[in-house]
Amino acid sequence: MSFAPRIDAALHAALRQGQAAPAPAKLAAALEHAVTPGGARIRPTILLSIAAACGDPSPRLADAAAVALELMHCASLVHDDLPCFDDADVRRGKPTVHRAYSEPIAVLTGDSLIMLAFETLARAAGEDPARAVALISVLAKRSGMPGGICAGQGWESEREVDLSAYHAAKTGALFMAATEMGAIAAGQDGPQWIELGARIGEAFQVADDLRDALYDEETLGKPVGQDDLHGRPNAVSELGVEGAIQRMRDILGGAIASIPKCPGEGMLAAMVTAQAEVLTPIKWRAAQRIAGE
Amino acid sequence: MSFAPRIDAALHAALRQGQAAPAPAKLAAALEHAVTPGGARIRPTILLSIAAACGDPSPRLADAAAVALELMHCASLVHDDLPCFDDADVRRGKPTVHRAYSEPIAVLTGDSLIMLAFETLARAAGEDPARAVALISVLAKRSGMPGGICAGQGWESEREVDLSAYHAAKTGALFMAATEMGAIAAGQDGPQWIELGARIGEAFQVADDLRDALYDEETLGKPVGQDDLHGRPNAVSELGVEGAIQRMRDILGGAIASIPKCPGEGMLAAMVTAQAEVLTPIKWRAAQRIAGE
């Protein structure tokens, strides 16, 4: 099932909020630039998959949760690309926000997307404010300090790094948010779903390491070799390419085993299995096919 | 009535959230640095004054609202001080966050404080999630785009500036948030209180213009002459010092007239009157006393 049209419609509705009011034009354009055309939208897709697997009784709230999570992810990309972090020129095949606009506009774009994430959840509270509050709480916790993506970036300024806390916060946090928030939006218990998100996050980290090590900039749409450059830990330098791919598949097996009982359990297992294929770098999939012939 | 001890206790409780978990030490220290010792805490003081004037039936929620608002204000100061904006070395008499730590840490500190603001409100939702959602909604709107402090900064990147939208967003937004949130936390209608916040914000803007024009860096604890330097509009260059002081007093008169009926109406009027004295630069108060002798 593709959730892409549903995610894009909800994202654009969120961006249009308050558009009648006078707004600084560059910042408004930069928000659009940062959010579209978008990458794989993997986090909101996972979130909506979980909500669907739990029956999706409140689609409006699930949409808001998916949008808020994607806005938060986009905000983190804009700030991570800044000159004082990765100093990236290219993101998703087009100039980064600070290159297309300016550094002040990029800082404000990230900040504004964060505000819009929370505003979107608050607006969707409707008849169930308690559920909206639970979603806001998870999103804030998984984005901030000490357990969120801000903390993840913060670890990169430390000489002594708690590697497990670093990975959980840097990549895992928004995947844990995706599974927790999908369940909460559907009226289910959030914590039961954390492990699935954590496992998917680990697999994604390994996949990202593979892409960083194997791809060229044109294919990836962003600079490569960033881990080596910034001295960040990488599964490929630790395990080799084959070892890293095996590791990723093992993790996804664990992810499937962790799926809580729910009506759409089988669908979710299929989704996770499909991720294993998607996450394996294309070049490597081709190489495996040739080797198997 | 001084709300300072109540605000500081609640702020420190918020900063201690999740402190048992492993956290990157520099970022954790930078959050503390950005929030303490604090300036006048004027926005949370206004918020708690309004809540008190309305009977303060939910002090825990009012505390959370005050803390969230102050955290948001501190976040905006950290980002505004960055090299790509004001490039300030000093804030509240000590080094700015990017000077004391680093630019990456300063970006993350602002982001983390924003997350903590929303997390604090979500945590305090308790028995009244609808009220917490209303508070989150106002805070997000008054902080983001197009009507919040992000938009206010965003206008500074435009060639054609909508001056009324600029001032309302840049300085007014968090004062409007203060009065609205104070009322909402006390179970009252938020919109009724917006005008009071808007007027206080206008007066504060004029007072800030006066300080920027009249004070030296040592007294102010931050660089002076920033408006001239950055070509920002300033009431003193427009009206002169006496004209600007008269303007500020007129605005505060309008603020008093706008106070909605409530048990603490008289107390609030006295608070606003006291602000007129506090906001008038000390040098000028002294000069007026000498002239009057």
Side-chain angles (χ1 to χ4, degrees):
Chain A
M1 194 189 314
S2 166
F3 292 105
R6 184 172 161 187
I7 293 166
D8 276 341
L11 258 175
H12 283 97
L15 280 174
R16 279 194 305 271
Q17 273 172 30
Q19 220 172 41
K26 277 183 205 141
L27 181 54
L31 295 191
E32 187 84 26
H33 180 102
V35 169
T36 53
R41 309 279 193 217
I42 187 161
R43 292 158 194 80
T45 298
I46 293 169
L47 188 153
L48 290 178
S49 302
I50 310 287
C54 297
D56 199 12
S58 312
R60 197 170 153 254
L61 197 58
D63 280 0
V67 164
L69 184 60
E70 181 66 11
L71 290 171
M72 190 64 81
H73 173 59
C74 292
S76 78
L77 298 180
V78 174
H79 280 182
D80 289 1
D81 285 338
L82 283 170
C84 68
F85 291 107
D86 287 354
D87 196 13
D89 294 327
V90 181
R91 165 72 67 182
R92 292 171 177 169
K94 57 182 193 173
T96 50
V97 175
H98 66 275
R99 298 289 293 165
Y101 295 87
S102 69
E103 213 180 318
I105 289 290
V107 173
L108 294 172
T109 296
D111 291 354
S112 302
L113 293 174
I114 297 170
M115 308 305 174
L116 188 56
F118 291 108
E119 194 180 351
T120 301
L121 280 170
R123 269 176 193 259
E127 297 305 300
D128 205 336
R131 220 180 272 184
V133 163
L135 291 167
I136 288 164
S137 180
V138 169
L139 184 63
K141 188 177 143 196
R142 299 286 183 205
S143 304
M145 269 279 284
I149 48 175
C150 287
Q153 278 284 356
W155 280 113
E156 295 183 7
S157 292
E158 296 295 323
R159 216 168 286 173
E160 305 264 304
V161 176
D162 180 326
L163 268 181
S164 134
Y166 167 65
H167 281 302
K170 168 91 181 175
T171 315
L174 291 192
F175 286 99
M176 292 188 261
T179 53
E180 275 183 283
M181 290 173 78
I184 293 168
Q188 299 301 309
D189 178 48
Q192 256 204 298
W193 289 83
I194 295 175
E195 189 184 344
L196 176 58
R199 300 270 174 155
I200 297 176
E202 282 169 41
F204 196 84
Q205 179 64 53
V206 178
D208 209 45
D209 290 355
L210 279 160
R211 279 198 300 271
D212 190 74
L214 297 178
Y215 277 10
D216 57 29
E217 177 164 334
E218 202 183 339
T219 315
L220 200 53
K222 65 179 182 180
V224 294
Q226 291 294 306
D227 290 339
D228 275 356
L229 194 65
H230 297 275
R232 292 188 285 236
N234 181 305
V236 178
S237 43
E238 196 188 318
L239 304 167
V241 172
E242 286 192 55
I245 290 178
Q246 192 47 53
R247 170 88 169 271
M248 193 184 70
R249 291 183 172 163
D250 292 345
I251 294 168
L252 289 172
I256 290 172
S258 84
I259 297 173
K261 291 262 164 285
C262 64
E265 207 178 325
M267 179 270 277
L268 283 184
M271 178 197 82
V272 175
T273 306
Q275 284 300 322
E277 181 67 8
V278 173
L279 289 178
T280 306
I282 293 168
K283 276 186 183 173
W284 194 255
R285 276 184 262 162
Q288 284 185 308
R289 260 177 242 123
I290 292 161
E293 270 165 10
Chain B
M1 195 191 315
S2 167
F3 292 104
R6 184 172 161 186
I7 293 166
D8 277 341
L11 259 173
H12 282 97
L15 280 174
R16 279 194 306 270
Q17 274 173 31
Q19 219 172 39
K26 277 182 205 142
L27 182 53
L31 295 191
E32 187 85 26
H33 181 103
V35 170
T36 52
R41 308 281 194 215
I42 186 161
R43 291 158 195 79
T45 298
I46 292 170
L47 189 154
L48 291 177
S49 302
I50 309 286
C54 298
D56 199 13
S58 312
R60 200 172 149 250
L61 197 57
D63 280 1
V67 164
L69 184 61
E70 182 66 10
L71 289 171
M72 190 63 80
H73 173 58
C74 292
S76 78
L77 297 181
V78 175
H79 281 182
D80 290 1
D81 284 339
L82 283 169
C84 69
F85 291 107
D86 286 356
D87 196 13
D89 295 326
V90 181
R91 165 72 68 184
R92 292 171 177 169
K94 59 182 193 174
T96 50
V97 175
H98 66 275
R99 297 289 292 166
Y101 295 87
S102 69
E103 213 179 316
I105 290 290
V107 172
L108 294 172
T109 297
D111 292 355
S112 302
L113 293 174
I114 296 170
M115 309 306 175
L116 188 56
F118 291 108
E119 193 180 351
T120 301
L121 279 169
R123 269 175 193 259
E127 295 306 299
D128 204 336
R131 222 180 270 184
V133 164
L135 290 168
I136 288 164
S137 180
V138 168
L139 185 63
K141 187 176 145 197
R142 301 286 183 203
S143 303
M145 268 278 284
I149 49 176
C150 288
Q153 278 284 355
W155 280 113
E156 296 183 6
S157 292
E158 296 294 324
R159 216 167 286 172
E160 305 263 306
V161 176
D162 181 325
L163 270 181
S164 134
Y166 166 65
H167 281 302
K170 168 91 180 174
T171 315
L174 290 193
F175 286 99
M176 291 189 262
T179 53
E180 276 182 284
M181 291 173 77
I184 293 168
Q188 299 300 309
D189 178 49
Q192 258 203 298
W193 290 83
I194 295 175
E195 189 184 342
L196 175 60
R199 302 270 174 154
I200 296 175
E202 284 169 39
F204 197 83
Q205 179 63 54
V206 178
D208 210 42
D209 290 354
L210 279 160
R211 279 198 299 270
D212 191 75
L214 297 178
Y215 277 10
D216 57 29
E217 179 164 333
E218 200 183 340
T219 313
L220 201 52
K222 65 179 183 182
V224 294
Q226 291 294 306
D227 291 339
D228 275 355
L229 195 64
H230 297 274
R232 291 190 286 235
N234 181 306
V236 177
S237 42
E238 196 189 316
L239 304 168
V241 172
E242 285 191 56
I245 291 178
Q246 190 49 51
R247 170 89 169 271
M248 192 184 70
R249 292 185 171 162
D250 291 347
I251 295 167
L252 290 172
I256 291 173
S258 85
I259 297 171
K261 291 262 163 285
C262 66
E265 208 179 324
M267 179 270 277
L268 283 184
M271 178 198 80
V272 175
T273 306
Q275 284 300 322
E277 179 68 8
V278 173
L279 290 177
T280 306
I282 294 167
K283 275 186 183 172
W284 193 255
R285 277 185 261 161
Q288 284 185 308
R289 261 179 240 120
I290 291 161
E293 270 166 9

